[in-house]
Amino acid sequence: MMELFLLEHKKLWRKMSTRISVLLCFVYVVIFGSVLSFQWFSFGSSDDVTSAFGNHFDGTVMALFLAITLSSLFAGEWHDNTRSLVLTTKNGWKQIALAKIGTGLSFATEFFAIIMTGGVVSQIFFLGTAGWDMPIQTIKLIAIAPMNMLQAEIYEYAFAFLGAIGFAGVVMFLSAKTRGNVLALLCSLAVVYGPMMIAEYLPYNVQKALDFIPLVGSGADIFRTNTFCIFEKYVWSPYLLLIVPILIGVLCMPFAVKGWSRRMRT
């Protein structure tokens, strides 16, 4: 099983779409979002009339790239017409499906680690650790969480990581249920971007419920006072935003294995 997982993992990383997605996301989040933000947009010295931002150069997108990479994990077998080959392998369809699930989870973890490491290194390089011990109420006075800024940042990274794992499960489920890479990609993007497009037209309670979809909500809820009433008990939204998205992804995984396996046999 481990050998099969390593083969699937290597196969995923060899794809040009995977390498391009990781590179573009790294450039956007780390180079543009961190280095340029600190070095130029925010902390560069001012009064540079030649700069579009008026400063000298001296101072979460992740869903899109996850969808591009993982949407072909199962659907790609139909696209590449490898169904007959899969059925004749010694490992069988179920073992291959499990290896693909493991590969998707591994990639989501590696992808997040690359982006997080770049962001953390950039932040420490430009800002250091000053302010980590300050309470989050210095940003928003009505915040109720007894956290400092370091704890808040750790929470937001945890929120992003668990959301990425949950979204990976959803994408793999959709990939297993479709026979085309393009359709799998469009469905995956619709899951995360569709709610953002229609949220403002929905009742407030429905808007809050949509935040449970992986990578749709916001880790910034720790600065807010949103709650959900569950079995007549009020639960603070940041707790649920950590738990529910990854549960959705985990629940999707066995259905992805079962659905893809059934289709490969028929």
Side-chain angles (χ1 to χ4, degrees):
M1 188 65 185
M2 179 58 67
E3 180 182 0
L4 189 59
F5 164 75
L6 293 175
L7 288 174
E8 287 289 342
H9 186 267
K10 186 181 295 184
K11 178 181 174 182
L12 183 66
W13 273 101
R14 281 179 174 176
K15 289 183 178 180
M16 186 60 67
S17 60
T18 299
R19 297 178 180 182
I20 292 176
S21 294
V22 172
L23 176 62
L24 290 178
C25 193
F26 183 85
V27 169
Y28 183 86
V29 174
V30 178
I31 305 300
F32 185 84
S34 295
V35 176
L36 291 183
S37 178
F38 293 134
Q39 182 78 15
W40 188 7
F41 307 154
S42 300
F43 301 109
S45 56
S46 58
D47 299 326
D48 181 7
V49 296
T50 65
S51 168
F53 298 96
N55 295 335
H56 294 283
F57 188 73
D58 60 356
T60 27
V61 177
M62 185 167 58
L64 170 63
F65 298 105
L66 274 177
I68 292 173
T69 302
L70 297 182
S71 59
S72 64
L73 197 60
F74 288 97
E77 301 291 356
W78 295 95
H79 179 269
D80 298 335
N81 198 25
T82 59
R83 175 176 177 270
S84 299
L85 179 62
V86 170
L87 292 175
T88 59
T89 59
K90 64 177 182 179
N91 296 293
W93 44 264
K94 188 172 183 179
Q95 287 76 14
I96 294 177
L98 291 173
K100 287 181 178 294
I101 292 293
T103 297
L105 296 178
S106 178
F107 174 79
T109 301
E110 293 159 357
F111 188 32
F112 175 81
I114 291 172
I115 302 304
M116 182 195 72
T117 301
V120 170
V121 170
S122 297
Q123 181 183 14
I124 293 177
F125 179 81
F126 288 103
L127 300 179
T129 61
W132 277 1
D133 59 342
M134 296 178 65
I136 63 173
Q137 284 74 21
T138 57
I139 292 181
K140 195 164 187 177
L141 291 175
I142 64 171
I144 61 174
M147 293 182 176
N148 58 34
M149 295 305 300
L150 176 59
Q151 293 170 327
E153 188 164 354
I154 292 173
Y155 171 87
E156 295 197 359
Y157 276 120
F159 164 82
F161 173 68
L162 295 176
I165 296 296
F167 185 65
V170 173
V171 174
M172 289 187 286
F173 168 74
L174 294 172
S175 179
K177 286 294 186 179
T178 55
R179 295 195 179 190
N181 292 344
V182 175
L183 180 59
L185 174 59
L186 292 177
C187 291
S188 300
L189 294 178
V191 168
V192 70
Y193 292 110
M196 299 179 186
M197 296 172 59
I198 65 174
E200 61 179 305
Y201 305 106
L202 300 175
Y204 179 67
N205 288 336
V206 178
Q207 293 181 34
K208 291 203 303 179
L210 290 177
D211 288 343
F212 292 145
I213 299 175
L215 296 183
V216 172
S218 171
D221 261 30
I222 57 171
F223 296 98
R224 302 168 184 153
T225 57
N226 296 334
T227 58
F228 290 88
C229 185
I230 301 177
F231 300 117
E232 299 183 353
K233 300 290 185 180
Y234 285 95
V235 182
W236 190 39
S237 64
Y239 294 138
L240 297 176
L241 289 175
L242 285 182
I243 299 171
V244 177
I246 193 171
L247 284 180
I248 292 174
V250 169
L251 290 174
C252 284
M253 293 175 198
F255 289 103
V257 172
K258 185 176 180 180
W260 187 76
S261 301
R262 182 187 297 117
R263 294 179 65 184
M264 293 300 287
R265 285 183 295 173
T266 57

